[in-house]
Amino acid sequence: MKTLAELQAIRDRMKDTVNLRSGSGSIRAVVGMATCGIAAGARPVLAALVEEVSRLGLTDKVTVTQTGCIGICRYEPIVEVYEADKEKVTYVKMTAEKARRIAEEHLQGGKVVEEYTIGAVENA
Amino acid sequence: MIRSHVLICGGTGCTSSGSMNVKAKLEEELAAKGLSGEIKVVQTGCFGLCALGPVMIVYPEGTFYSHVTPEDVPEIVEEHLLKGRIVTRLEYKEGAELTQPGENVSLNDTDFYKSQLRVALRNCGVINPENIDEYIARDGYMALGKVLTEMTPDDVIQVLLDSGLRGRGGAGFPTGLKWKFAKGYDDDQKYVCCNADEGDPGAFMDRSVLEGDPHAVLEAMTIAGYTIGSSQGYIYVRAEYPIAVKRLQIAIDQAHEYGLLGDNILGTGFKFDIGLRLGAGAFVCGEETALMTSIEGNRGEPRPRPPFPAEKGLFRKPSILNNVETWANIPQIILKGADWFASMGTEKSKGTKVFALGGKIKHTGLVEIPMGTPLRQVIEEIGGGIPNGKKFKAAQTGGPSGGCIPASLIDTPLDYESMAAIGSIVGSGGLIVMDEDNCMVDIAKFFLKFTVDESCGKCTPCRIGTKRLLEILEKITSGKGTLEDIDKLEELCNYIKANALCGLGQTAPNPVLSTLRYFRDEYIAHVVEKRCPAGVCKDLLKFVVDKEKCIGCGMCMRNCPASAISKTDYVAPGHKLPSVEIDPDKCVKCGVCMGNCKFKAISKQ
């Protein structure tokens, strides 16, 4: 037998799961998952992003998804972050470690991790 | 960690087109690629786009794939689920504006979905109906919790009255009022019943709710039990809906396990249980008193009213009976409030209505729209219009109990009052679209055949009256009718309407009356000119050869099953061989000759 409080606990636990289906959050983090991306290690990056977003409780706000070839294969794995009314941020040469930092600082904290962006890497 | 959900429709439509094979193949492919741990496959209820089945939707992108076969699955897994490249050849995107080629299209942007408003169908195609946790995640059973802990029965009735919810089974009786009457009668036992005996040809919205969101019905019935003071509910569902029956049983078992049905619901001491009763396929059992008689174990026949079921219903105890779609609206009205519900629809018809689109329409399927949406929008925009470039002629609403809406009234809003004003009804929500190739007398005959078969035989006006109506219609379509017959038809219709015992008989003449009202010229053409304008009624058809166009190739002669075609002496100018002619006495009007003629020399008149 369940009480109303237990019911609410089930709802809160399940909400993240079902929210995935109500469409996109206001922030979209897109991982390039073409052959080049996968070869360069995009899968662990994607997995790390998904895990972090869930751990930080950002599933309402952030949608993690994949896309095809972005066209700059030498910079793969690539993660692009889209947010309404803001300029797109492109992170390049990602690793699972870097992805975790982006989840925490950018997706949660709202602060772009400058050193991983394409601009910083290109000029280095 | 799950990063993506793949939803596959497990409704009756998609199951019939093979969605379960697609699901099996998908699970196999995901396992082979080692993706089972990050991609979840969910079997859901109906998405509404049954003509496009099997359908699949991939989240978080919300990509909608149609006509998916098991052979397509490896490509979807490899390209989309692994690499994130949408398989555009399978993607459904009609009407959605693409800003760049290959862009992902969300289902909500397509013409079919963008003007829909999903209330009763909100969970259909979104949750796994066999998993109570997914229903709870979408605020399931929260309305029940609110009712049991914060509201009195009178509060519940007031919310329903204020919301303006009316019965979705067809008659449109205010739901709150029904509950109020039943609550007003004191008795040791009362009953809550759900009418899931959906029988109108072409209607399948109740089935889709039961298959896609069974817990919503259980929750609403439990709320009703608390409100009117009942501890027992029954769902009367047709045995022809095996998937619905199975999912209802699973839902009832899960609700028991969670203590949401049974002796001490949510620890409040309230007691309620629900049993399933299977109907054996009699249309009349969708009538409330016949349904209750059938649950009692007797032959499904209606009884005279009054007494109304609110006073003496099931087992002669105070009872309420609501339709599946009505039930599906109730938990959300409780949670979101009467004002929210009343903000949708028209002044007297509140909320939304689900329509089952069928017939000569591109997007056969289920649509839920605010009450008062014009028929034109449903047909042209959501339904995608009439296929093959044909012209819209009429739409039949309410199945055999309803009437037709002619093309001239296509801007009529779909709500209770507007439908009644033009001689039709909203009905349960079947919406059958007809084009110029449909004969309206034939349509009336089709529905009359149905009611003659389904009349239970208890009262004379229905048993004999509908049979006589059908005989007159058959006389007219076979070319033996007179103008007097048309008057007789009308007189008999009005007599049956006024005298039949139950809703079945009282509404059976509606298809005849409304086609007479809007397409009387077609009846007259059948009777006076002995001609069927749409070319449907075989007895009135004549196949003729245009001798100037016929080159005498003999293709038609060789293919005629009745040897009704022979050569003539006439050779048209410019042709070498004599033309043919058709002997009307031998012709069986199969149309094979017309289909075989490459020179369009044969036509039907």
Side-chain angles (χ1 to χ4, degrees):
Chain A
M1 214 272 300
K2 298 263 190 290
T3 63
L4 196 53
E6 284 171 296
L7 214 58
Q8 272 152 355
I10 296 175
R11 177 178 65 171
D12 296 341
R13 176 168 58 77
M14 289 296 293
K15 214 152 202 168
D16 287 352
T17 316
V18 177
N19 266 349
L20 187 64
R21 296 174 210 161
S22 58
S24 40
S26 55
I27 304 176
R28 284 163 50 81
V30 180
V31 184
M33 292 279 281
T35 307
C36 47
I38 295 173
R43 288 189 47 75
V45 173
L46 177 74
L49 263 186
V50 170
E51 261 165 46
E52 281 301 290
V53 163
S54 159
R55 190 182 63 84
L56 298 169
L58 300 174
T59 41
D60 276 350
K61 210 168 84 170
V62 181
T63 306
V64 180
T65 170
Q66 339 93 296
T67 187
C69 182
I70 296 171
I72 34 172
C73 307
R74 64 205 166 96
Y75 284 127
E76 295 280 3
I78 298 169
V79 174
E80 295 192 301
V81 178
Y82 295 84
E83 202 170 344
D85 305 326
K86 284 193 187 165
E87 209 177 333
K88 177 180 80 175
V89 180
T90 304
Y91 293 112
V92 299
K93 296 196 173 171
M94 294 300 292
T95 61
E97 252 335 288
K98 291 179 181 174
R100 283 194 196 99
R101 206 177 131 195
I102 285 167
E104 208 165 304
E105 292 183 21
H106 185 173
L107 302 180
Q108 187 179 37
K111 198 174 144 295
V112 176
V113 187
E114 292 291 346
E115 54 184 295
Y116 298 158
T117 60
I118 187 163
V121 174
E122 252 183 349
N123 296 330
Chain B
M1 179 60 216
I2 302 290
R3 64 173 169 89
S4 174
H5 288 194
V6 180
L7 275 56
I8 298 180
C9 177
T12 294
C14 284
T15 304
S16 318
S17 54
S19 63
M20 290 305 107
N21 297 337
V22 172
K23 183 176 173 238
K25 180 73 184 167
L26 181 65
E27 281 164 348
E28 186 191 313
E29 278 292 309
L30 289 177
K33 288 258 190 309
L35 294 170
S36 306
E38 50 190 282
I39 292 169
K40 186 174 176 185
V41 179
V42 185
Q43 175 187 335
T44 70
C46 183
F47 287 88
L49 271 166
C50 309
L52 298 175
V55 299
M56 179 193 278
I57 187 160
V58 182
Y59 285 107
E61 297 93 330
T63 309
F64 186 78
Y65 291 127
S66 61
H67 295 304
V68 181
T69 64
E71 291 72 44
D72 295 325
V73 169
E75 186 180 348
I76 293 175
V77 172
E78 174 77 25
E79 287 296 306
H80 188 160
L81 298 177
L82 193 63
K83 297 180 181 167
R85 285 195 292 235
I86 285 154
V87 184
T88 43
R89 72 177 175 88
L90 295 170
E91 197 185 12
Y92 175 77
K93 46 189 165 265
E94 188 152 350
E97 281 174 30
L98 294 176
T99 49
Q100 57 189 70
E103 187 202 19
N104 176 47
V105 174
S106 164
L107 194 52
N108 295 330
D109 296 332
T110 59
D111 274 347
F112 184 76
Y113 276 100
K114 70 184 172 202
S115 32
Q116 290 198 45
L117 184 61
R118 300 201 145 202
V119 177
L121 295 178
R122 78 184 181 114
N123 282 335
C124 290
V126 177
I127 63 165
N128 177 349
E130 297 182 11
N131 183 342
I132 188 172
D133 286 353
E134 293 204 358
Y135 178 66
I136 292 171
R138 303 262 297 164
D139 296 325
Y141 290 105
M142 292 298 149
L144 177 63
K146 183 175 171 185
V147 165
L148 293 183
T149 55
E150 297 169 23
M151 296 170 82
T152 66
D154 287 324
D155 292 341
V156 177
I157 288 171
Q158 198 54 48
V159 169
L160 287 184
L161 287 173
D162 292 345
S163 74
L165 176 66
R166 293 165 65 178
R168 295 296 191 250
F173 190 81
T175 308
L177 211 52
K178 201 182 243 186
W179 291 21
K180 193 177 171 179
F181 290 150
K183 180 180 177 286
Y185 290 102
D186 279 327
D187 213 313
D188 56 341
Q189 181 59 285
K190 298 181 188 180
Y191 295 101
V192 174
C193 305
C194 169
N195 188 345
D197 192 53
E198 187 173 51
D200 285 1
F204 52 93
M205 61 290 294
D206 293 347
R207 189 195 74 211
S208 295
V209 170
L210 295 175
E211 288 176 358
D213 198 11
H215 284 287
V217 175
L218 304 187
E219 182 181 6
M221 288 178 72
T222 313
I223 291 171
Y226 171 78
T227 307
I228 70 163
S230 159
S231 63
Q232 180 64 46
Y234 289 102
I235 300 177
Y236 190 84
V237 54
R238 334 174 44 173
E240 294 97 322
Y241 284 176
I243 299 177
V245 172
K246 179 182 144 216
R247 296 209 177 130
L248 275 172
Q249 193 56 58
I250 291 172
I252 290 173
D253 294 345
Q254 287 175 342
H256 269 287
E257 200 183 303
Y258 275 44
L260 297 164
L261 280 178
D263 278 342
N264 185 12
I265 295 174
L266 288 170
T268 59
F270 172 63
K271 177 179 170 221
F272 191 74
D273 210 340
I274 294 176
L276 290 184
R277 292 292 178 272
L278 303 195
F283 182 63
V284 71
C285 288
E287 196 279 337
E288 59 177 3
T289 58
L291 185 150
M292 288 173 183
T293 313
S294 178
I295 293 181
E296 288 162 8
N298 300 314
R299 184 187 171 116
E301 286 181 340
R303 11 183 221 246
R305 298 176 302 178
F308 285 92
E311 184 187 355
K312 283 195 168 72
L314 185 57
F315 301 112
R316 301 273 150 180
K317 299 288 185 184
S319 306
I320 54 170
L321 174 77
N322 284 116
N323 161 271
V324 172
E325 192 188 333
T326 316
W327 289 121
N329 277 297
I330 289 170
Q332 292 178 80
I333 295 176
I334 299 289
L335 278 182
K336 296 185 184 170
D339 292 342
W340 163 79
F341 192 79
S343 71
M344 299 178 286
T346 65
E347 196 196 333
K348 287 185 176 159
S349 304
K350 300 297 186 192
T352 59
K353 177 79 192 92
V354 185
F355 286 94
L357 278 181
K360 307 281 180 68
I361 186 101
K362 261 194 192 152
H363 304 152
T364 304
L366 268 195
V367 302
E368 181 167 357
I369 46 173
M371 283 274 189
T373 304
L375 179 64
R376 182 188 293 278
Q377 195 183 353
V378 176
I379 290 175
E380 293 180 358
E381 188 182 305
I382 301 174
I386 318 291
N388 307 322
K390 299 275 183 180
K391 254 173 54 195
F392 171 70
K393 183 174 191 175
Q396 175 84 15
T397 59
S401 315
C404 66
I405 309 170
S408 58
L409 295 174
I410 192 171
D411 288 310
T412 311
L414 291 165
D415 62 58
Y416 295 112
E417 285 71 34
S418 310
M419 286 292 107
I422 62 167
S424 189
I425 59 169
V426 169
S428 61
L431 190 65
I432 299 170
V433 182
M434 290 165 277
D435 68 7
E436 49 195 323
D437 289 342
N438 287 104
C439 165
M440 299 314 286
V441 187
D442 186 63
I443 293 289
K445 196 172 81 177
F446 168 82
F447 283 117
L448 251 295
K449 260 189 192 154
F450 180 84
T451 34
V452 167
D453 274 350
E454 295 295 346
S455 172
C456 77
K458 183 167 178 170
C459 75
T460 321
C462 180
R463 184 181 67 242
I464 299 176
T466 56
K467 179 83 180 143
R468 291 286 169 271
L469 281 184
L470 180 61
E471 283 167 5
I472 299 175
L473 288 171
E474 280 169 344
K475 194 176 163 195
I476 293 174
T477 55
S478 63
K480 294 174 192 135
T482 61
L483 282 172
E484 217 189 345
D485 284 328
I486 299 182
D487 296 336
K488 228 190 262 171
L489 202 60
E490 213 160 15
E491 190 192 338
L492 187 51
C493 280
N494 291 322
Y495 179 80
I496 297 170
K497 250 177 115 78
N499 293 290
L501 172 62
C502 81
L504 194 161
Q506 287 157 10
T507 59
N510 284 351
V512 181
L513 282 172
S514 77
T515 48
L516 267 175
R517 179 166 168 185
Y518 296 113
F519 297 94
R520 204 179 187 95
D521 53 328
E522 281 195 30
Y523 280 84
I524 291 173
H526 281 77
V527 167
V528 178
E529 300 164 42
K530 308 291 178 206
R531 185 175 68 87
C532 174
V536 172
C537 299
K538 279 196 170 179
D539 291 335
L540 300 177
L541 273 187
K542 210 166 80 183
F543 284 84
V544 289
V545 180
D546 181 342
K547 290 184 178 167
E548 303 307 318
K549 282 188 185 164
C550 176
I551 66 151
C553 68
M555 194 65 179
C556 53
M557 280 170 69
R558 282 194 293 280
N559 286 293
C560 177
S563 303
I565 307 178
S566 56
K567 290 265 179 190
T568 62
D569 300 333
Y570 179 75
V571 181
H575 292 165
K576 289 179 182 137
L577 295 168
S579 84
V580 299
E581 64 182 1
I582 299 170
D583 179 352
D585 293 334
K586 285 186 185 164
C587 176
V588 293
K589 289 146 189 170
C590 64
V592 166
C593 54
M594 202 168 117
N596 272 307
C597 182
K598 292 195 176 99
F599 307 94
K600 298 205 160 74
I602 300 177
S603 58
K604 60 180 178 183
Q605 288 175 357

